[in-house]
Amino acid sequence: MGLVWWLGVGLLLVFAQAWASSPEKPKCLPGFKKDSNLFEVDRRHLHSGRVLGKVGFDDCMARKRFKFGSSDRHFHVEQDGTLMVSVCFEMHKYSLCPSFGSNVVFCEGDENYHVIQNLPVLRFLNFSKRRKRAWIIPPLNILENDRGPYPKLVAQIRSDKDKWSRMEYKITSYGANGLFIIDRNTGQLYVTKPLDRERKSQYMLDVHANFASMVNAQAESTMAVIVNVLDMNDNKPVFTQDPFVAEVAEASAKDFVVITINATDLDDPQTYNAEIRYKIWSQEPKLPNANLFAINPVSGAIRVNRQGLDREKYPRYTLEVEAADMRGEGLTARGRVILTVTDSNDIAPAFEMAQYEASVPENKVGAQVVRMSVTDGDELNSPAWNAKFQIVAGDKNGQFAVETGPGKQEGIITTVKGLDYEMTKTYTLLVTVENEIPFAIRLPTATATVVVSVEDLNEAPVFSPTIRVVKRKEDLAVASEIVRYTATDPDTERSQNVSYKIMKDPARWLSVNPDTGLIKVKKGMDRESQYVQDGKYTALIMAYDDDVSPATGTGTLEIELEDVNDNIPSINERIIKVCNTESAPQLLSVTDADGPDFAAPYTVSLMGRSKNNWTATMDDTGTGIILTLIRALPMGDYNVVLRVADNHGLEQDNIVMATVCECTGNEVTCKVGIREGGIGLPGLLVRSGAVLLLLLLALLLLIFIRRRGGEQNEPLPPNEDIRDHIYYNDEEGGGEDHQDNYDLSVHRGPDDRHGSSGVMPCFMPKAENRPRPANPEDIGKFIDDNLTAADRDPLAPPSHC
């Protein structure tokens, strides 16, 4: 008996499995015939009992009457689906809400939704092949913030296999956190508390159906159910900032966009719940017009609606703005927009005076002529307030300039060129004033007239040219005319005489006629003088008038001195040391104070006995002498006489003292002691004493001459060497016996005004000094005559006697 029972149970299980694998397709699904129903009325006030329409419902069993429910007490649904008004109310409080799946929904005011609910029935569908998720049904739609009561039934889960076997249902979910539960026996799906779309807008549920008679015996494939949380207008718009701050220029044109405001709404952007409209609620102040600004209701752009902004009267406006969702019919939020009216250049600056008068001394550059003040009603220290001036007439030569003072409200006119009274005595200037930025509107430009009178001053005489350049030979004779250098007096309306005098004459070579300006040679000029630079001698000549307050002017005279051959070439190295054996050649350099036309190349020759022991030749440059000892000499000092001539033949004998030492080659080493064939130490001491004595005598003579003459002589030319005029030793050992053979003709030059020798004779009479004149006006001539006398005094150092 037990075996037959177990066999029967097995057959039943196989039959049930086969039945589950090949289900019949359901021919009907219970539910409302329409997902949404729209009922129209022709009046606002609805009375109780009024029929609005009929809701169709099919339970797949051909029944016609059902039990409906309404979440709003104002409405009642009969068993046949007729929708009726149960309580009188005003229809303007209600509006049709979007479709929420298989529900009929009305909206009241801003927040309360009223739903005539259709409970959806979800059925498992089976196919020939099993899959993890056999079918995904259309999603469930649950309105957020539903007021319950909870748990609230949202759907019915059914399996077609519940006709022959009891089923158990369960759900698993991800992220639902116990929000959804299911009755294991009936398959009724509940939500346990209100949902918030802004927190989570969708949930995913997995629904399972198992045979109740067997453990974990799955009757259906897992069904995925998507729950959408439908939006409710439960969030007000929020402005992105409060207040909004912007600036608007007072001269802004109509329709100029000042600022664009913005608000956000957390509701579903795909619905009217988040569709915002803007409007301006109020404007403060309401002057000069209450509608100075307008707003685009969709974009939030605030623009200038009318002209009339005036910063000087109404510098700031506060707008109260509103943002409302549901296209302006839903929830609202308010904010502020603060608009600061900025200055525009709508007021022209004006001069405080229409005409100004001033006087300016002539020839003064940078002189202040006048200061002109202006006023401006625009914002202080703004570009629309800062003044800018311009001279538009009366200054064709650009002799004046105008600039804005540091306060930006004052124009200062100055002279940029010296004014000439003799040419123009009066100037009439036309000055305009504007701002740093252009006028915002068309405004007249203010002008002022400035009359400038030029004051006549005693002007200094003017040399023409200011630098006079002349060429003259350096040996130009005394009293020769150099040039007539004159100046003119620009004061043509004054009768004045111009006089001249030397202002700067470093070497005192010049004199000037005070009446004619004729410049002559007062003393011989020398191109090689220390006062001559680059062959030019510069003097300053002064001209002055005979006004009560004399005015002086200066001119520069540049004399380009043309060179003459008046300087003798000279050897620079006068003391050398050589070895008496295999002596190295000595290089001696030659200089000539004359220019290149009268200098190198030089020629050299040995004089007297020097040619027996030495050779002298010029190097490749023609400026250096190669002196070589050709015969061994005893140790001692020797005088070598070299005659050097320039390229025009002007020559001079030069004595070079050569010390011959006992050595060989280039390294010269001399022993201390008495030298053979030469002058010993005692002789050198005697000679040195004699030289010192001569120098002392010359110094005493110089002091005596200065006391008598009262003037200082010209300095000794740097190229003179008194050693050539003191002693001459023969080249072979020297000694007193050789001094008698010295020939003074070696000092003779080509230009000898005192005989055949270039040395002034010692027997010339002493120059006489002029006595001091009694008249102070003759003191200048007294000094010049005594200076000339001192220069010609043969006893004045240096002397050749």
Side-chain angles (χ1 to χ4, degrees), residues 364-637:
K364 189 173 183 180
V365 178
Q368 180 175 298
V369 179
V370 70
R371 301 174 80 97
M372 302 172 294
S373 298
V374 297
T375 58
D376 196 318
D378 290 313
E379 183 180 0
L380 265 98
N381 300 317
S382 69
W385 183 82
N386 297 338
K388 183 177 66 174
F389 300 87
Q390 184 179 6
I391 299 174
V392 296
D395 185 26
K396 62 180 180 180
N397 295 324
Q399 295 174 295
F400 299 90
V402 61
E403 61 181 13
T404 303
K408 300 296 183 180
Q409 288 283 283
E410 189 177 48
I412 304 173
I413 298 180
T414 57
T415 58
V416 295
K417 298 178 182 178
L419 306 181
D420 191 348
Y421 173 84
E422 284 71 29
M423 294 187 65
T424 306
K425 297 177 177 60
T426 303
Y427 294 86
T428 301
L429 308 177
L430 184 63
V431 184
T432 62
V433 60
E434 295 178 341
N435 295 117
E436 290 181 354
I437 59 175
F439 295 142
I441 57 178
R442 190 166 186 174
L443 297 172
T445 302
T447 61
T449 303
V450 180
V451 179
V452 183
S453 299
V454 184
E455 299 176 2
D456 187 23
L457 297 179
N458 182 27
E459 300 177 72
V462 179
F463 282 93
S464 180
T466 56
I467 301 177
R468 185 70 178 270
V469 180
V470 296
K471 288 185 178 181
R472 300 292 184 268
K473 288 187 176 295
E474 64 173 327
D475 61 347
L476 194 64
V478 174
S480 298
E481 295 182 0
I482 297 178
V483 68
R484 187 183 301 273
Y485 193 20
T486 59
T488 58
D489 193 341
D491 293 314
T492 57
E493 296 190 5
R494 299 188 182 196
S495 178
Q496 298 180 148
N497 296 320
V498 178
S499 301
Y500 305 91
K501 66 178 179 179
I502 302 292
M503 185 175 179
K504 182 179 179 182
D505 181 13
R508 298 180 180 176
W509 290 343
L510 309 175
S511 65
V512 62
N513 188 302
D515 298 323
T516 63
L518 179 62
I519 300 174
K520 295 183 178 181
V521 178
K522 183 178 70 173
K523 188 170 60 174
M525 299 182 291
D526 184 4
R527 181 181 174 277
E528 290 70 44
S529 170
Q530 59 179 331
Y531 301 110
V532 177
Q533 301 294 327
D534 298 327
K536 295 180 180 179
Y537 180 73
T538 302
L540 294 181
I541 313 300
M542 182 173 70
Y544 55 95
D545 57 30
D546 56 359
D547 191 82
V548 176
S549 298
T552 61
T554 58
T556 302
L557 177 64
E558 286 188 357
I559 305 175
E560 294 185 1
L561 294 174
E562 298 178 353
D563 194 24
V564 297
N565 197 10
D566 58 346
N567 290 279
I568 304 173
S570 174
I571 297 175
N572 296 323
E573 297 82 4
R574 296 301 181 95
I575 300 175
I576 61 173
K577 289 183 180 181
V578 296
C579 291
N580 60 357
T581 304
E582 299 179 5
S583 175
Q586 301 294 311
L587 180 62
L588 308 178
S589 59
V590 181
T591 58
D592 192 326
D594 290 322
D597 292 340
F598 302 103
Y602 305 107
T603 58
V604 63
S605 59
L606 289 165
M607 305 304 295
R609 298 181 182 178
S610 299
K611 63 181 68 174
N612 297 332
N613 302 319
W614 306 82
T615 60
T617 58
M618 299 303 301
D619 63 3
D620 295 337
T621 65
T623 60
I625 299 173
I626 301 174
L627 179 64
T628 307
L629 179 65
I630 59 175
R631 186 164 64 87
L633 297 176
M635 183 178 66
D637 292 334

Side-chain angles (χ1 to χ4, degrees), residues 523 526 528-531 567 593 652 695 698-699 702 706 712-726 758-759 790-791 793-801:
K523 188 170 60 174
D526 184 4
E528 290 70 44
S529 170
Q530 59 179 331
Y531 301 110
N567 290 279
Q652 173 181 252
L695 291 175
L699 180 60
L702 178 61
R706 284 189 173 179
Q712 197 173 20
N713 289 327
E714 290 284 333
L716 184 66
N719 60 342
E720 291 291 342
D721 194 334
I722 62 173
R723 291 178 299 179
D724 292 347
H725 310 287
I726 296 176
V759 181
D791 291 340
D793 189 353
L795 299 179
S799 174
H800 298 285
C801 296

Side-chain angles (χ1 to χ4, degrees), residues 39-41 46 50-54 75 82-85 106:
F39 303 103
E40 297 181 358
V41 293
L46 300 180
R50 171 153 185 179
V51 176
L52 300 177
K54 193 172 184 179
F75 303 98
T82 301
L83 179 63
M84 301 175 61
V85 178
F106 287 88

Side-chain angles (χ1 to χ4, degrees), residues 136-157:
I136 299 179
I137 66 172
L140 292 177
N141 296 321
I142 301 177
L143 185 66
E144 68 170 333
N145 300 321
D146 193 296
R147 290 180 293 185
Y150 292 94
K152 182 173 183 177
L153 183 63
V154 294
Q156 173 72 51
I157 308 297

